[in-house]
mmCIF file of all heavy atoms in Angstrom:
data_model
loop_
_atom_site.group_PDB
_atom_site.id
_atom_site.type_symbol
_atom_site.label_atom_id
_atom_site.label_comp_id
_atom_site.label_asym_id
_atom_site.label_seq_id
_atom_site.Cartn_x
_atom_site.Cartn_y
_atom_site.Cartn_z
ATOM 1 N N THR B 629 -194.181 24.860 35.410
ATOM 2 C CA THR B 629 -194.054 24.936 33.952
ATOM 3 C C THR B 629 -193.029 26.001 33.620
ATOM 4 O O THR B 629 -193.214 27.165 33.942
ATOM 5 C CB THR B 629 -195.405 25.316 33.326
ATOM 6 O OG1 THR B 629 -196.386 24.438 33.814
ATOM 7 C CG2 THR B 629 -195.328 25.214 31.823
ATOM 8 N N PHE B 630 -191.942 25.596 32.979
ATOM 9 C CA PHE B 630 -190.920 26.535 32.528
ATOM 10 C C PHE B 630 -191.214 26.869 31.071
ATOM 11 O O PHE B 630 -191.552 25.998 30.287
ATOM 12 C CB PHE B 630 -189.532 25.898 32.583
ATOM 13 C CG PHE B 630 -189.033 25.635 33.966
ATOM 14 C CD1 PHE B 630 -189.417 24.498 34.664
ATOM 15 C CD2 PHE B 630 -188.161 26.515 34.575
ATOM 16 C CE1 PHE B 630 -188.956 24.247 35.936
ATOM 17 C CE2 PHE B 630 -187.681 26.275 35.849
ATOM 18 C CZ PHE B 630 -188.073 25.144 36.532
ATOM 19 N N GLN B 631 -191.049 28.135 30.703
ATOM 20 C CA GLN B 631 -191.137 28.475 29.281
ATOM 21 C C GLN B 631 -190.011 29.423 28.936
ATOM 22 O O GLN B 631 -189.802 30.416 29.619
ATOM 23 C CB GLN B 631 -192.472 29.155 28.967
ATOM 24 C CG GLN B 631 -193.528 28.192 28.518
ATOM 25 C CD GLN B 631 -194.601 28.845 27.704
ATOM 26 O OE1 GLN B 631 -194.306 29.481 26.697
ATOM 27 N NE2 GLN B 631 -195.820 28.683 28.132
ATOM 28 N N PHE B 632 -189.292 29.083 27.903
ATOM 29 C CA PHE B 632 -188.217 29.942 27.418
ATOM 30 C C PHE B 632 -188.567 30.319 25.999
ATOM 31 O O PHE B 632 -188.675 29.467 25.129
ATOM 32 C CB PHE B 632 -186.881 29.193 27.441
ATOM 33 C CG PHE B 632 -186.511 28.695 28.801
ATOM 34 C CD1 PHE B 632 -186.898 27.439 29.231
ATOM 35 C CD2 PHE B 632 -185.772 29.486 29.663
ATOM 36 C CE1 PHE B 632 -186.571 26.969 30.491
ATOM 37 C CE2 PHE B 632 -185.431 29.039 30.929
ATOM 38 C CZ PHE B 632 -185.829 27.778 31.344
ATOM 39 N N ARG B 633 -188.792 31.595 25.770
ATOM 40 C CA ARG B 633 -189.242 32.004 24.444
ATOM 41 C C ARG B 633 -188.199 32.894 23.806
ATOM 42 O O ARG B 633 -187.884 33.971 24.283
ATOM 43 C CB ARG B 633 -190.565 32.732 24.557
ATOM 44 C CG ARG B 633 -191.056 33.278 23.229
ATOM 45 C CD ARG B 633 -192.303 34.072 23.501
ATOM 46 N NE ARG B 633 -192.866 34.622 22.293
ATOM 47 C CZ ARG B 633 -192.773 35.900 21.967
ATOM 48 N NH1 ARG B 633 -192.117 36.729 22.734
ATOM 49 N NH2 ARG B 633 -193.342 36.352 20.869
ATOM 50 N N THR B 634 -187.679 32.439 22.663
ATOM 51 C CA THR B 634 -186.744 33.255 21.884
ATOM 52 C C THR B 634 -187.487 33.724 20.666
ATOM 53 O O THR B 634 -188.039 32.932 19.905
ATOM 54 C CB THR B 634 -185.547 32.404 21.448
ATOM 55 O OG1 THR B 634 -184.975 31.799 22.590
ATOM 56 C CG2 THR B 634 -184.521 33.258 20.740
ATOM 57 N N ARG B 635 -187.504 35.000 20.471
ATOM 58 C CA ARG B 635 -188.179 35.544 19.302
ATOM 59 C C ARG B 635 -187.148 36.227 18.450
ATOM 60 O O ARG B 635 -186.375 37.043 18.914
ATOM 61 C CB ARG B 635 -189.233 36.526 19.774
ATOM 62 C CG ARG B 635 -189.998 37.159 18.654
ATOM 63 C CD ARG B 635 -190.581 38.409 19.157
ATOM 64 N NE ARG B 635 -190.608 39.371 18.106
ATOM 65 C CZ ARG B 635 -191.667 40.098 17.837
ATOM 66 N NH1 ARG B 635 -192.760 39.931 18.561
ATOM 67 N NH2 ARG B 635 -191.619 40.984 16.891
ATOM 68 N N TRP B 636 -187.123 35.881 17.186
ATOM 69 C CA TRP B 636 -186.092 36.369 16.281
ATOM 70 C C TRP B 636 -186.739 37.035 15.093
ATOM 71 O O TRP B 636 -187.477 36.393 14.339
ATOM 72 C CB TRP B 636 -185.240 35.189 15.839
ATOM 73 C CG TRP B 636 -183.948 35.565 15.223
ATOM 74 C CD1 TRP B 636 -183.336 36.778 15.273
ATOM 75 C CD2 TRP B 636 -183.106 34.708 14.473
ATOM 76 N NE1 TRP B 636 -182.149 36.752 14.602
ATOM 77 C CE2 TRP B 636 -181.982 35.487 14.097
ATOM 78 C CE3 TRP B 636 -183.172 33.387 14.079
ATOM 79 C CZ2 TRP B 636 -180.941 34.952 13.338
ATOM 80 C CZ3 TRP B 636 -182.144 32.869 13.335
ATOM 81 C CH2 TRP B 636 -181.029 33.662 12.969
ATOM 82 N N ASP B 637 -186.454 38.305 14.906
ATOM 83 C CA ASP B 637 -187.046 39.057 13.806
ATOM 84 C C ASP B 637 -186.209 38.865 12.558
ATOM 85 O O ASP B 637 -185.525 39.772 12.088
ATOM 86 C CB ASP B 637 -187.125 40.544 14.160
ATOM 87 C CG ASP B 637 -188.086 40.777 15.302
ATOM 88 O OD1 ASP B 637 -188.992 39.947 15.478
ATOM 89 O OD2 ASP B 637 -187.917 41.777 16.015
ATOM 90 N N ALA B 638 -186.240 37.709 12.051
ATOM 91 C CA ALA B 638 -185.489 37.433 10.814
ATOM 92 C C ALA B 638 -186.313 36.462 10.011
ATOM 93 O O ALA B 638 -187.187 35.782 10.538
ATOM 94 C CB ALA B 638 -184.140 36.817 11.156
ATOM 95 N N ASP B 639 -186.040 36.382 8.755
ATOM 96 C CA ASP B 639 -186.755 35.409 7.942
ATOM 97 C C ASP B 639 -185.808 34.249 7.682
ATOM 98 O O ASP B 639 -184.896 34.347 6.863
ATOM 99 C CB ASP B 639 -187.207 36.043 6.634
ATOM 100 C CG ASP B 639 -188.301 35.212 6.000
ATOM 101 O OD1 ASP B 639 -188.561 34.101 6.505
ATOM 102 O OD2 ASP B 639 -188.895 35.669 5.011
ATOM 103 N N LEU B 640 -186.036 33.150 8.378
ATOM 104 C CA LEU B 640 -185.146 31.994 8.260
ATOM 105 C C LEU B 640 -185.209 31.366 6.887
ATOM 106 O O LEU B 640 -184.280 30.754 6.423
ATOM 107 C CB LEU B 640 -185.514 30.936 9.301
ATOM 108 C CG LEU B 640 -184.964 31.158 10.706
ATOM 109 C CD1 LEU B 640 -185.592 30.157 11.643
ATOM 110 C CD2 LEU B 640 -183.467 31.016 10.702
ATOM 111 N N GLN B 641 -186.366 31.515 6.213
ATOM 112 C CA GLN B 641 -186.520 30.811 4.963
ATOM 113 C C GLN B 641 -185.747 31.476 3.845
ATOM 114 O O GLN B 641 -185.074 30.831 3.067
ATOM 115 C CB GLN B 641 -188.014 30.737 4.579
ATOM 116 C CG GLN B 641 -188.832 29.959 5.569
ATOM 117 C CD GLN B 641 -188.439 28.506 5.613
ATOM 118 O OE1 GLN B 641 -188.216 27.881 4.585
ATOM 119 N NE2 GLN B 641 -188.337 27.952 6.784
ATOM 120 N N ARG B 642 -185.860 32.781 3.806
ATOM 121 C CA ARG B 642 -185.181 33.493 2.716
ATOM 122 C C ARG B 642 -183.896 34.112 3.216
ATOM 123 O O ARG B 642 -183.801 34.511 4.358
ATOM 124 C CB ARG B 642 -186.087 34.594 2.180
ATOM 125 C CG ARG B 642 -186.926 34.131 1.023
ATOM 126 C CD ARG B 642 -187.905 35.183 0.682
ATOM 127 N NE ARG B 642 -188.669 35.561 1.867
ATOM 128 C CZ ARG B 642 -189.731 36.331 1.802
ATOM 129 N NH1 ARG B 642 -190.144 36.792 0.646
ATOM 130 N NH2 ARG B 642 -190.379 36.669 2.891
ATOM 131 N N GLY B 643 -182.945 34.241 2.390
ATOM 132 C CA GLY B 643 -181.687 34.899 2.751
ATOM 133 C C GLY B 643 -180.830 34.022 3.631
ATOM 134 O O GLY B 643 -181.308 33.419 4.564
#
Side-chain angles (χ1 to χ4, degrees):
Chain B
T629 308
F630 291 82
Q631 267 203 56
F632 302 90
R633 176 185 181 255
T634 306
R635 180 202 146 133
W636 196 15
D637 294 335
D639 198 352
L640 278 171
Q641 297 295 317
R642 268 172 306 190

